[in-house]
Amino acid sequence: MLWDDRLISYDFGPDHPMNPVRVELTMALARAYGLPDEPNVRVEAFEAADDKLLGLVHDEAYISAVKHCGATGLPELRFGLGSADNPVFLGMHDATALVAGASVAGARAVWTGETEHAANISGGLHHALRGAASGFCVYNDPAIAIAWLLENGAERVAYVDVDVHHGDGVQAAFYNDPRVLTVSLHETPRTLFPGTGFPNETGGPGAKGTAVNVALPPGTGDAAWLRAFDAVVPQVLEAFQPQILVSQHGCDSHALDPLAHLILTLDGQRTAYSWLHRLAHEHAGGRWLVTGGGGYELVQVVPRAWTHLLAEAAGRPIDPQAACPEEWREFVRRRTDEIAPRRMTDGKSVVEVMTWGNGYDPASPVDQAVLATRRAVFPEHGLDPMAVL
């Protein structure tokens, strides 16, 4: 587990949706459950990413602009710095370079065999582009971690993104690189930022089939979302056979999230975490780097979702019926003046899923979206788009 209290200095201000209190409350809940003290868990220190690391993904001029903004508080709008989505704040370079450093440290620990799994819940800033901030993201820590892996001998890296928004920045960074498989399940770009992530975005020349996009309709809930996951993700991972799995776990797919239109519950999200854990063992030798991402229901959703994620990565899943510790609920009250949830579930300990193996429903908008993805990319992997097994 990568953590440093300075990570909550990534702060766009009190009125911005991406308030770092969400990460602070997550770590408080994880501590209340004793996760950092588990025998197989270490909380590791790390260094901020230096310019060489950042330069694996970002332009030199952009890095200089971030530093200038962070030192002066002045905007650089041509780099996306100072917009409503990405306001400038003092210390911005240091704060976001620290997030990137945490993800690289996790990648290094997993790749060198120091640990099997690593988690940076402050990370997952997947929208940042080579030369611009975007979507609350300044430096693209998952892309930087993947680029580090490639620099250090990895030949096949899989990235799975379950944020409600398309993982556009990571896809763009490796769109022409056949060594990286990017898979994103997200709300359709017809109704949600960033307007990319259609099924026909499948990779550049020499890398066809390595960008996989499942664009789901508004209103998609647990069973349908998990059906879509089951119909695409295990198959492409099996075909690609990555050496390491990197995943981004934005929990803004939740029904309570104020910025999007999917209707997953905490229990559906928790199920996806367990599936990704299993897939890391089945197809990536158990090597798994976990990052956070979006999520803007700061009290009711993010802390519980990511505590489940950390517990899953630690090999100690939390019973969804477990009561949220009272000391944590009191901390939430004092910190936010809100009433914290009482249990680690939204009421569905087990989510029933009709998997793709039950057959394709041509009248279902979700099945239509899934089939569009399978038709676009499965043949590139030697897979039959219509196969149900």
Side-chain angles (χ1 to χ4, degrees):
M1 185 185 304
L2 288 307
W3 180 251
D4 185 309
D5 287 342
R6 294 176 297 162
L7 287 167
I8 62 174
S9 65
Y10 187 93
D11 188 354
F12 290 122
D15 297 325
H16 194 279
M18 194 163 161
N19 190 316
V21 74
R22 68 198 189 119
V23 181
E24 183 183 356
L25 296 182
T26 299
M27 288 304 298
L29 184 56
R31 291 187 185 108
Y33 275 112
L35 292 178
D37 302 319
E38 285 290 303
N40 62 330
V41 175
R42 298 192 312 275
V43 179
E44 292 288 334
F46 53 91
E47 300 294 328
D50 60 19
D51 288 5
K52 182 179 179 181
L53 275 175
L54 298 173
L56 294 175
V57 168
H58 295 290
D59 292 334
E60 182 179 351
Y62 175 64
I63 298 169
S64 296
V66 175
K67 289 180 177 179
H68 179 259
C69 292
T72 66
L74 298 174
E76 290 270 13
L77 291 174
R78 65 195 176 106
F79 295 104
L81 298 165
S83 65
D85 275 0
N86 302 284
V88 169
F89 61 95
L90 294 176
M92 181 170 62
H93 167 78
D94 294 338
T96 196
L98 194 67
V99 175
S103 289
V104 171
R108 182 185 296 114
V110 173
W111 184 243
T112 59
E114 182 182 335
T115 187
E116 198 168 39
H117 308 331
N120 173 23
I121 57 162
S122 70
L125 306 179
H126 61 167
H127 293 308
L129 303 171
R130 174 164 288 278
S134 178
F136 313 162
C137 305
V138 179
Y139 293 139
N140 194 319
D141 65 285
I144 295 166
I146 293 168
W148 183 91
L149 288 165
L150 298 177
E151 287 278 307
N152 285 272
E155 297 175 346
R156 295 181 312 283
V157 180
Y159 170 78
V160 177
D161 188 317
V162 299
D163 195 288
V164 78
H165 302 90
H166 177 227
D168 60 331
V170 182
Q171 175 180 288
F174 304 107
Y175 200 65
N176 299 310
D177 194 331
R179 297 174 296 173
V180 181
L181 175 75
T182 62
V183 185
S184 180
L185 291 90
H186 48 267
E187 183 179 331
T188 173
R190 298 185 189 280
T191 56
L192 193 65
F193 175 91
T196 57
F198 290 99
N200 62 358
E201 298 170 32
T202 61
K208 290 295 184 185
T210 60
V212 181
N213 289 293
V214 185
L216 296 167
T220 300
D222 289 342
W225 191 98
L226 290 166
R227 174 175 169 82
F229 183 109
D230 172 74
V232 174
V233 180
Q235 293 87 336
V236 294
L237 287 180
E238 182 175 13
F240 189 71
Q241 285 299 297
Q243 296 162 299
I244 183 171
L245 174 63
V246 179
S247 54
Q248 195 269 18
H249 295 266
C251 53
D252 40 10
S253 59
H254 195 279
L256 295 181
D257 196 273
L259 300 187
H261 315 100
L262 299 190
I263 55 172
L264 272 70
T265 68
L266 189 74
D267 302 290
Q269 294 173 331
R270 174 178 50 79
T271 302
Y273 305 158
S274 69
W275 286 9
L276 281 164
H277 189 181
R278 185 190 74 239
L279 290 170
H281 284 279
E282 290 178 353
H283 302 302
R287 290 178 287 273
W288 189 26
L289 172 62
V290 169
T291 68
Y296 309 102
E297 210 317 309
L298 308 177
V299 172
Q300 302 302 317
V301 176
V302 178
R304 291 186 300 158
W306 286 351
T307 297
H308 275 302
L309 175 62
L310 291 173
E312 181 66 41
R316 204 205 90 176
I318 296 170
D319 182 348
Q321 295 297 330
C324 294
E326 284 302 319
E327 64 267 30
W328 177 76
R329 298 187 72 243
E330 175 60 20
F331 175 71
V332 170
R333 186 193 66 77
R334 287 186 281 105
R335 184 69 180 81
T336 68
D337 203 29
E338 291 192 34
I339 298 174
R342 292 187 176 276
R343 296 199 174 274
M344 292 294 288
T345 177
D346 284 340
K348 296 193 294 184
S349 294
V350 177
V351 179
E352 297 292 338
V353 182
M354 292 284 287
T355 66
W356 196 255
N358 295 111
Y360 165 64
D361 178 3
S364 164
V366 169
D367 281 17
Q368 293 168 17
V370 168
L371 188 57
T373 300
R374 289 167 64 108
R375 283 174 168 162
V377 298
F378 272 31
E380 301 290 345
H381 295 280
L383 300 170
D384 179 1
M386 300 306 297
V388 296
L389 298 178

